[in-house]
Amino acid sequence: MIRYFDNAASSWPKPPSVAEIMKSMMVECTANPGRGGHKMAVQASRVMFDTRKKLAKLFSIKNPNDIAFTQNTTMALNMAISGILRESDHVICTSIEHNSVHRPLEHLILQRKIEVSYLPAQQDGTIQLKQYEQTFRNNTKLVIINHSSNLLGSIMPVAEMAKIAKLKGAFVLIDAAQTAGMIPIDVNQINADMLAFPGHKGLLGPQGTGGLYIHPNLELEPLITGGTGSKSEDKYQPNVRPDRYEAGTQNTVGIAGLGEGVKFVLNETVERIQAKKNKQMIRLMEQLSTIEGLRILGPEIGIPRTGLVSFLLKNIDSSELAFILDQTFNIAVRAGYHCTPLAHQVAGTMEGGAVRASIGYFTTDEEVDALADALKDIAKHYT
Ligand SMILES: Cc1ncc(COP(=O)(O)O)c(C=O)c1O
């Protein structure tokens, strides 16, 4: 049996109801939502709205139509970044961003001559709020907050950062790729103008799902334009939400699956999920910290972090370590740069990367102990 520790990339397994509803949708209802008034099309629209409603409840969003479905977090982040930034705008983000923020920003530096300040983060993922405050300029349009680093597991003080951004008149975009469904998020409480989230990680839905919350007072240029099934006679993209941001046929089957994932999370409650993960992370990190030659990245044991830990083992390359864990112990982890060379630069791990183990809702204590035992065993041979 595989022991899966790659939940930060995509969670596995999913609650059985996710696959069940996806199968029944495939068999019974693959009509286009929002197009056509026949019964099956209406049923498809209903399923989409139902998932939107559940997501709205999870993030305390008043109007479910302020959520646009996307294929993943990357698309949501691109939609937000490209939709709001204009020539000469200034953006603040951190020096530990994922490539799905870093690359769109670098692209717009070339394409729209935007300016970007990468606020330095420390090796434990913390930033200095004073320094952050001093980074604002007259033309600062947007602050992007990486809610949790996918390499370090550290958690950003989103509410404080957003509060400062609001005082300075900037919009706030939160990258919740590593926190949605794992840390409680209330968009009003944290002053989020936009929240980009995946369906396939902590929300326990299938790949190919995600979304972007857009504050009702904020208008974005759509990333793509095209058919929406509404106002078809108009040559311009309709203003009505969510259609404005959802051109083309949607992933109805995937979104139905996401709805079941979110339902599961709502029933369990994010608070309980977070508490369970915290306990297991401490269990894992306490064991890892006894291994000679093993360096743990990110916050110390006991400091809040999400359900992942990255590490290096002396005298062994991270890809080789991941390979041995997979081939000899049937343990799935992720090695390399985790699409975040920025964070690896901060961690000082650009040479060879690191190994990341990430737990999920279904991870058991026995699996955690098996990972720690496997690493102890490997360490004996290399250190
Ligand atoms: C912090 C962070 N942002 C963005 C992404 C991109 O997410 P997605 O794979 O849903 O596009 C990831 C993926 O791991 C991530 O960890």
Side-chain angles (χ1 to χ4, degrees), residues 234-363:
D234 196 336
K235 67 179 174 180
Y236 296 114
Q237 194 69 4
N239 276 328
V240 57
R241 294 182 181 206
D243 305 21
R244 183 165 178 76
Y245 305 109
E246 288 182 353
T249 299
Q250 297 298 302
N251 177 9
T252 320
V253 174
I255 290 166
L258 173 58
E260 284 301 314
V262 178
K263 185 172 163 189
F264 186 91
V265 169
L266 285 168
N267 284 345
E268 279 305 300
T269 78
V270 179
E271 287 75 10
R272 276 216 296 270
I273 291 172
Q274 186 184 26
K276 177 175 179 278
K277 280 196 180 174
N278 283 347
K279 229 168 115 189
Q280 259 175 355
M281 282 312 292
I282 290 174
R283 185 183 183 105
L284 177 59
M285 287 181 66
E286 275 177 355
Q287 295 186 71
L288 296 192
S289 64
T290 65
I291 301 176
E292 214 184 287
L294 190 139
R295 178 188 157 207
I296 293 177
L297 308 184
E300 304 267 321
I301 300 178
I303 306 279
R305 62 156 68 218
T306 41
L308 66 90
V309 59
S310 302
F311 50 84
L312 292 95
L313 190 58
K314 210 169 155 186
N315 301 332
I316 178 167
D317 181 73
S318 66
S319 326
E320 198 183 334
L321 178 54
F323 184 76
I324 296 172
L325 283 169
D326 182 44
Q327 295 295 310
T328 310
F329 296 92
N330 220 4
I331 292 175
V333 292
R334 171 129 176 236
Y337 296 108
H338 313 92
C339 298
T340 181
L342 287 182
H344 277 280
Q345 273 161 24
V346 169
T349 46
M350 271 312 275
E351 212 175 292
V355 171
R356 181 182 73 190
S358 48
I359 60 175
Y361 175 82
F362 296 101
T363 306

Side-chain angles (χ1 to χ4, degrees), residues 8-10 71-77 96-101 146-151 175-178 197-201 209-210 308 334 338-339 356:
S10 277
Q71 288 169 13
N72 43 45
T73 328
T74 302
M75 188 176 163
L77 288 165
I96 50 172
E97 298 300 327
H98 189 271
N99 273 346
S100 55
V101 167
N146 182 345
H147 198 178
S148 173
S149 160
N150 65 311
L151 176 70
D175 173 358
Q178 294 301 337
F197 60 88
H200 59 107
K201 300 183 200 269
T209 61
L308 66 90
R334 171 129 176 236
H338 313 92
C339 298
R356 181 182 73 190

Side-chain angles (χ1 to χ4, degrees), residues 27-137:
V27 173
E28 290 162 24
C29 180
T30 55
N32 272 44
R35 283 103 166 134
H38 58 80
K39 286 195 215 62
M40 198 190 284
V42 171
Q43 172 61 9
S45 297
R46 201 171 286 143
V47 167
M48 295 255 306
F49 190 67
D50 193 52
T51 300
R52 240 187 271 279
K53 266 200 320 205
K54 291 188 176 100
L55 286 164
K57 185 168 180 199
L58 184 72
F59 299 128
S60 303
I61 293 165
K62 282 191 200 89
N63 183 354
N65 288 333
D66 290 330
I67 299 167
F69 287 116
T70 60
Q71 288 169 13
N72 43 45
T73 328
T74 302
M75 188 176 163
L77 288 165
N78 272 269
M79 200 186 250
I81 291 168
S82 172
I84 198 168
L85 293 175
R86 297 289 163 268
E87 191 136 319
S88 308
D89 283 340
H90 174 239
V91 182
I92 301 173
C93 63
T94 66
S95 64
I96 50 172
E97 298 300 327
H98 189 271
N99 273 346
S100 55
V101 167
H102 187 206
R103 284 181 175 163
L105 288 177
E106 290 297 320
H107 182 71
L108 290 188
I109 288 176
L110 297 179
Q111 297 296 316
R112 296 189 197 161
K113 299 185 175 48
I114 64 158
E115 299 163 7
V116 180
S117 296
Y118 291 96
L119 183 73
Q122 308 304 307
Q123 283 205 340
D124 62 359
T126 53
I127 54 140
Q128 285 176 7
L129 282 176
K130 192 90 211 133
Q131 190 179 14
Y132 162 65
E133 219 173 327
Q134 287 163 353
T135 312
F136 283 84
R137 302 180 190 163

